[in-house]
Amino acid sequence: MTHRELDAAGISDPRLRAAYTRCREINAGRGRTYFLATRLLHPRQRPAIHALYGFARHADDLVDEPAPHHRPDQIAARLDGIAAALDAGLRAGHTAHPVLAAVVDTATRFGIDDALFADFLRSMRMDLTVTGYPTRAGLLDYVHGSAEVIGLQLLPVLGTVCDPAEAAPHAAALGQAFQLTNFLRDVAEDLDRGRVYLPADELAAHGVDRDLLAWCRSTRRLDARVRRALADQIACTRAVYRRARPGIPLLHPGSRPCVATAYALYARILDQIEACGHNVFAGRVTVGTRQRLTLAGAAFMRVVWTRHGRIDRERPTRKD
């Protein structure tokens, strides 16, 4: 299947094909929801999506899953090395880096703004020193680089039926909604890394602080104050999903099933958090395989219709 995608995208250089294949492996192994949704795109679009995801995951893993002996200054130096290699590659239009080669090629092919990559790496650097956010404004400054720019990077690949500038705010909002959903699902894991990605002042309004969250983490039990705070955060996140949704019809028809499926799958995570009584400390909340496949199956039928379908009544009647 990989070869068919690369052939459809017109990618023939062996080193580039290897880089795109590596990014696809990263997407398949680490981004189950994204990978499933990507399967709904036309084969020629998929390599670019894999490249963008592979780059983002490659940089993110340097920060979130460093080798045990790596100090923050060493991780920062590695991020600086990635930034320098990417900048040089974007200026030259190519690079030999085994992962960056694919994202450089994608950025060049689709005219993706270089600043979006710089903003992303800025947020990755923030994770080395920032362990909490006093207000939502501060959190959203981080989220712009960590997630909104991803939506903006994807927009040229997905295509639009309008001026891309009209669709851009919705694409950014969808990236934000996905990231805020991750923050709610991963409260416990983030605490283990010494971070809290929920606005401190909004938590404090419910009597919640970092120590109380840590108690919930250590006991795997949920305090009523934390439940109320998480319910409030879910409501705020659903408002972001509502801002994002009008952007789906603005996409190219062939891209809509993919984005609509990702939208539905991620929104279901919020439903699952509620279904488990908001106790995100007892175990990782996921959308079940059956639900994921049901949503993806329905979307697949829409893809078939978009690419090939005409209902029988639209076909010319055969005359004998």
Side-chain angles (χ1 to χ4, degrees), residues 5-79:
E5 294 173 354
L6 295 172
D7 291 343
I11 300 166
S12 57
D13 181 271
R15 286 183 296 182
L16 268 182
R17 289 172 73 94
Y20 275 105
T21 299
R22 176 59 188 140
C23 289
R24 186 184 189 278
E25 291 169 352
I26 294 172
N27 195 355
R30 300 298 303 279
R32 292 191 306 165
T33 298
Y34 285 115
F35 186 75
L36 180 61
T38 301
R39 301 292 299 153
L40 300 171
L41 291 172
H42 192 283
R44 66 172 174 270
Q45 293 174 291
R46 295 175 199 165
I49 303 297
H50 297 322
L52 292 168
Y53 182 92
F55 163 71
R57 176 57 68 180
H58 178 67
D60 191 53
D61 282 351
L62 287 180
V63 176
D64 283 349
E65 299 182 10
H69 61 281
H70 284 168
R71 303 188 310 269
D73 61 320
Q74 293 174 314
I75 299 170
R78 293 188 68 183
L79 284 175

Side-chain angles (χ1 to χ4, degrees), residues 243-317:
R243 294 207 315 269
R245 189 173 184 84
I248 296 176
L250 302 181
L251 298 174
H252 184 280
S255 297
R256 292 172 196 164
C258 166
V259 177
T261 299
Y263 180 105
L265 286 170
Y266 257 83
R268 288 285 178 92
I269 293 174
L270 300 179
D271 298 337
Q272 294 299 106
I273 292 174
E274 291 175 329
C276 72
H278 298 85
N279 191 356
V280 294
F281 303 95
R284 198 166 196 264
V285 176
T286 61
V287 176
T289 300
R290 177 176 296 181
Q291 289 187 62
R292 290 191 295 117
L293 293 178
T294 297
L295 285 168
F300 177 75
M301 295 308 297
R302 292 196 296 273
V303 169
V304 171
W305 163 250
T306 299
R307 292 184 195 162
H308 310 294
R310 288 178 181 273
I311 57 178
D312 290 340
R313 62 185 172 81
E314 291 182 336
R315 294 175 180 165
T317 301

Side-chain angles (χ1 to χ4, degrees), residues 175-228:
Q176 181 188 139
F178 288 171
Q179 181 72 295
L180 294 178
T181 300
N182 284 337
F183 291 160
L184 286 163
R185 180 191 62 191
D186 298 337
V187 172
E189 293 177 20
D190 291 332
L191 277 168
D192 292 344
R193 298 185 177 109
R195 306 182 201 133
V196 176
Y197 292 105
L198 303 173
D201 61 341
E202 296 177 15
L203 295 179
H206 295 276
V208 176
D209 59 15
R210 185 184 288 257
D211 289 341
L212 184 55
L213 293 175
W215 178 85
C216 292
R217 175 54 171 161
S218 64
T219 63
R220 296 169 64 90
R221 293 166 58 189
L222 188 66
D223 184 277
R225 291 165 292 178
V226 176
R227 179 182 288 109
R228 290 192 293 269

